[in-house]
Amino acid sequence: MSDLVLQDVAKAFGGTPVLRDITLAVAAGTFVVVVGPSGCGKTTLLRSLAGLETPDGGIIRLAGRNVTHLPPAERDVAMVFQNYGLYPTKTVFENMAFGLRRRGLPRREIEARVAGAAERVQIAGLLQRRPSQLSGGQRQRVAMGRAIVREPRLFLFDEPLSNLDAALRTDLRLEIKRLQRAAGVTAVYVTHDQQEAMTLSDLLVVMRDGRIEQMGPPKAVFDRPRSRFVAGFLGAPPMGFLPARLQRGVFRFGDGLTWAPDRPIEGLPVEDDVELGVRPEEIRLVAPSVTGALPARVDLVEELGRFRLVHLTGPLGPLTASLPADGAVPAGPVGVLLPGQEIAVFRWVGGERLDRAA
């Protein structure tokens, strides 16, 4: 049974659509990550779930209850903000206990809940400090503890780690996932960081221009993007794209270059203007004379520890290959072998994926 359901949710500001017919069903205990570029509507979606924005249309249901027009206090949700949202004059204990006191819980229950949550987020020794006496990571743990102590039906996270350094982001990312799994509570997490999106999510939702572009398990979305946008947004470095003219299974590039896969790619039209999408890790570099290799030139090599990025130029346009660090990189002219069946084919106009692998 779905714990969180959105049906045709829409929102506009000043006549400008921000959310367009968002429809989503989430099973209980699922960690949903909403990812997309700035301005795609992901924060507005989160604020609509929290009750901080009211949709112009559509329905939001939580645990079978229509909460579309309910105020935040009546939704049984807890939100962790990017800027922590702590009361500066209150201690850590008082910040975490504030919502429970507003609900009229007994003092002993409040103390027990705060102590338990503080242990889980590793701030038990900081309960008498004020936010100004804490580091950024400690403040974010307080914000997480304040959400956990409420024992909500739904966790909402609004880019909670974006203000932290890389090492601390990794630690807290793992902690958030552990806490969510232990609590068994549905969570919706908004981020622009694709690494966070891939590692945290059970269900990945990619947004663009107020719409859901694609959703599914993170590996499935990464391996089988349904549009050029999704293919180019997920991946570091991102997928490379080669403009071509498709004619009866043969791809024709500029300068008279052609390429045909070893086996026909299923689902393609007879003729169309397309872009070939190829992941950097799927590219092989060989001698220019190798049969089937397309010409390129090594422009720059980035050494990244166990692998290196080789940036290529040439008649195909810019392209990046990801190679093992122990392999030799030829200087000057090289041949590029495309991966054949692992290639993705997108229509030039509209960007939808054409091959059946999607």
Side-chain angles (χ1 to χ4, degrees), residues 38-333:
S38 297
C40 72
K42 56 186 184 294
T43 295
T44 301
L45 175 61
L46 199 74
R47 289 174 61 86
S48 298
L49 294 174
L52 301 175
E53 301 286 354
T54 301
D56 299 325
I59 296 174
I60 300 173
R61 297 184 186 277
L62 180 59
R65 186 170 64 129
N66 188 340
V67 299
T68 312
H69 299 286
L70 290 182
E74 297 180 23
R75 294 197 178 203
D76 197 16
V77 303
M79 189 165 181
V80 179
F81 296 91
Q82 177 180 349
N83 62 357
Y84 318 134
L86 303 178
Y87 297 106
T89 60
K90 296 182 182 295
T91 65
V92 169
F93 178 90
E94 291 166 342
N95 267 279
M96 293 176 64
F98 183 79
L100 303 181
R101 285 174 173 162
R102 291 285 299 271
R103 289 161 59 180
L105 269 63
R107 179 176 59 84
R108 287 188 177 180
E109 183 175 352
I110 292 173
E111 291 175 350
R113 283 202 192 187
V114 170
E119 285 287 346
R120 292 169 71 179
V121 296
Q122 302 173 29
I123 56 170
L126 307 176
L127 291 177
Q128 299 310 312
R129 295 190 188 182
R130 286 185 167 77
S132 62
Q133 299 172 298
L134 305 177
S135 68
Q138 289 169 335
R139 293 180 196 178
Q140 194 56 274
R141 290 180 186 274
V142 175
M144 290 168 53
R146 184 177 57 186
I148 292 166
V149 80
R150 293 184 55 191
E151 300 178 0
R153 184 79 196 193
L154 177 67
F155 282 128
L156 302 174
F157 297 93
D158 185 15
E159 302 199 45
L161 308 182
S162 60
N163 292 335
L164 306 177
D165 62 69
L168 189 54
R169 278 204 307 271
T170 299
D171 290 343
L172 284 184
R173 185 168 68 225
L174 295 173
E175 191 62 32
I176 287 173
K177 185 70 172 181
R178 290 192 190 100
L179 290 170
Q180 185 267 342
R181 281 184 175 175
V185 177
T186 305
V188 179
Y189 187 107
V190 160
T191 183
H192 64 275
D193 185 319
Q194 56 181 284
Q195 186 176 15
E196 282 183 16
M198 293 293 295
T199 56
L200 280 174
S201 62
D202 302 316
L203 176 66
L204 180 62
V205 178
V206 183
M207 289 189 65
R208 179 190 186 193
D209 296 334
R211 293 187 173 93
I212 294 177
E213 186 85 358
Q214 187 174 347
M215 60 182 173
K219 189 175 187 306
V221 175
F222 180 86
D223 289 343
R224 296 184 295 279
R226 295 177 188 165
S227 70
R228 187 196 188 282
F229 171 79
V230 174
F233 188 80
L234 295 178
M239 181 178 281
F241 298 97
L242 305 175
R245 177 69 183 174
L246 170 62
Q247 293 180 322
R248 298 185 180 278
V250 177
F251 298 91
R252 303 185 182 277
F253 307 100
D255 288 357
L257 297 174
T258 62
W259 176 77
D262 296 336
R263 291 175 293 165
I265 298 175
E266 295 185 3
L268 298 183
V270 174
E271 189 170 344
D272 207 343
D273 290 321
V274 300
E275 286 185 285
L276 295 182
V278 55
R279 294 283 181 197
E281 56 271 20
E282 300 289 349
I283 294 175
R284 289 179 55 204
L285 299 186
V286 295
S289 58
V290 171
T291 302
L294 296 167
R297 177 177 290 273
V298 175
D299 180 47
L300 180 69
V301 178
E302 289 185 86
E303 300 290 350
L304 298 173
R306 295 193 175 185
F307 67 99
R308 53 167 62 107
L309 298 182
V310 181
H311 299 276
L312 306 165
T313 59
L316 295 175
L319 200 60
T320 300
S322 179
L323 305 177
D326 56 358
V329 177

Side-chain angles (χ1 to χ4, degrees), residues 3-57:
D3 190 45
L4 174 65
V5 176
L6 291 81
Q7 182 177 346
D8 300 323
V9 172
K11 180 68 179 178
F13 294 112
T16 301
V18 179
L19 298 178
R20 307 168 188 254
D21 303 323
I22 301 294
T23 296
L24 179 66
V26 180
T30 302
F31 201 118
V32 183
V33 177
V34 182
V35 68
S38 297
C40 72
K42 56 186 184 294
T43 295
T44 301
L45 175 61
L46 199 74
R47 289 174 61 86
S48 298
L49 294 174
L52 301 175
E53 301 286 354
T54 301
D56 299 325

